[in-house]
Amino acid sequence: MTSSFASRLKEELAGIRPKTDHCTAATAEAHKYFTLIKKEYTINEKILERRCCKRTFLREIFLIAGTMSDPEKSYHFEINCPSRAKAEFIRDLINRFEGMDAKIVTRGRSYVTYLKGSDQIVDMLGIMEASKAYMELENVRIMKSVRNSVNRRINCETANIGKTVSASKKQLDDIALIKEKTGLNELPSGLAEMAEVRLKYPDAALTELGQYLNPPIGKSGVNHRLRKLSEIAGQLREKEENDNVK
């Protein structure tokens, strides 16, 4: 059975040993602060003056009471605290690191200090020195970004194809109406040629259509001629409606 991201993270954190006596003291302080739930315990903040000790303390707190969602599904990092005072202390300790913005939410009888958003959580993994989890999360973020970019491009291209198909159908309908009512030969030569080319190449893009004309013209020229054909078809439809009213 594949282990969860949270369990892999905790396994990595559990393998990080304090390198100094003061960091060892910070580890012990975390246990005292979070396991003496029934007693009031005033933390010795001098132990947390060093940056490395803050990292060690937060790492140990997460091992005791933290969890994290699967980053493939969502980004959520939290530490479950038995009192608001502890939740506020953890929040403030996290927020001493630059750019961090931990918050608190009440959940039943517990108080949860949490981080949301991949940027914040990546930084938190860095703070706790979880290098493997950090790289795993970064890889997930990169893959998500690539997938989102591809999906946006596909959606955009699909929308553009839909617009092109709709425009082409409208042009073909207009030309068919003109052909039926007046005949294409009655059109100015440039418009008649444009109509014939569109009928011959119903799926071609405007730029491609322009290359089939003699002489070839650009996209804007093709668009101009097709608009003229649309105007003529519109006039024919309006005349037909007026005749029917009469």
Side-chain angles (χ1 to χ4, degrees):
M1 184 176 178
T2 305
S3 60
S4 67
F5 183 88
S7 63
R8 292 194 299 276
L9 171 57
K10 286 197 171 186
E11 184 179 351
E12 180 181 1
L13 294 177
I16 301 174
R17 301 301 179 191
K19 297 182 178 65
T20 63
D21 290 342
H22 48 79
C23 285
T24 300
T27 300
E29 197 71 7
H31 277 272
K32 292 175 186 176
Y33 189 62
F34 246 73
T35 56
L36 297 176
I37 297 173
K38 296 182 180 179
K39 297 180 181 179
E40 288 296 327
Y41 181 77
T42 303
I43 196 163
N44 182 359
E45 293 199 41
K46 287 187 177 180
I47 291 176
L48 301 179
E49 287 179 349
R50 293 182 175 88
R51 189 176 180 83
C52 59
C53 292
K54 293 185 185 73
R55 293 176 183 271
T56 302
F57 185 90
L58 288 170
R59 185 164 61 234
E60 204 63 28
I61 290 296
F62 183 79
L63 282 169
I64 296 167
T67 188
M68 184 176 162
S69 64
D70 180 354
E72 288 282 1
K73 298 175 181 177
S74 65
Y75 299 113
H76 192 81
F77 173 102
E78 65 180 45
I79 296 172
N80 197 299
C81 305
S83 69
R84 175 166 285 279
K86 283 183 169 63
E88 290 175 350
F89 181 81
I90 299 303
R91 177 199 62 195
D92 294 344
L93 185 61
I94 291 173
N95 290 345
R96 288 184 198 177
F97 290 87
E98 185 179 356
M100 302 305 290
D101 187 26
K103 300 183 183 300
I104 297 172
V105 66
T106 304
R107 188 180 297 155
R109 295 183 179 180
S110 298
Y111 299 87
V112 178
T113 300
Y114 70 93
L115 293 165
K116 293 193 77 171
S118 60
D119 290 340
Q120 292 272 301
I121 294 172
V122 163
D123 288 346
M124 188 66 204
L125 296 181
I127 288 168
M128 296 191 301
E129 301 177 297
S131 57
K132 290 180 182 177
Y134 180 100
M135 291 306 300
E136 185 177 346
L137 180 52
E138 282 288 46
N139 287 336
V140 170
R141 292 210 304 166
I142 290 169
M143 290 305 297
K144 277 188 174 183
S145 177
V146 170
R147 283 198 297 268
N148 290 339
S149 178
V150 169
N151 287 337
R152 282 194 299 271
R153 189 176 302 168
I154 290 172
N155 290 339
C156 182
E157 289 176 356
T158 301
N160 288 337
I161 290 171
K163 289 178 182 177
T164 300
V165 170
S166 296
S168 177
K169 184 179 183 307
K170 173 66 167 54
Q171 293 156 10
L172 292 170
D173 289 345
D174 290 341
I175 293 167
L177 178 64
I178 296 169
K179 189 173 183 179
E180 177 190 347
K181 297 297 182 182
T182 64
L184 300 183
N185 292 335
E186 297 299 316
L187 294 170
S189 60
L191 295 183
E193 184 188 16
M194 185 75 259
E196 294 288 359
V197 167
R198 175 43 99 191
L199 289 173
K200 188 174 181 180
Y201 303 101
D203 299 324
L206 299 187
T207 303
E208 186 181 355
L209 283 177
Q211 298 307 304
Y212 295 132
L213 298 173
N214 186 21
I217 62 173
K219 180 179 177 179
S220 61
V222 171
N223 201 32
H224 174 74
R225 292 188 186 184
L226 290 171
R227 277 203 307 270
K228 286 291 185 183
L229 290 170
S230 178
E231 289 172 8
I232 293 169
Q235 292 167 4
L236 291 172
R237 289 190 183 97
E238 186 177 352
K239 181 178 183 300
E240 185 176 21
E241 289 175 3
N242 291 336
D243 290 344
N244 289 336
V245 170
K246 292 176 182 179

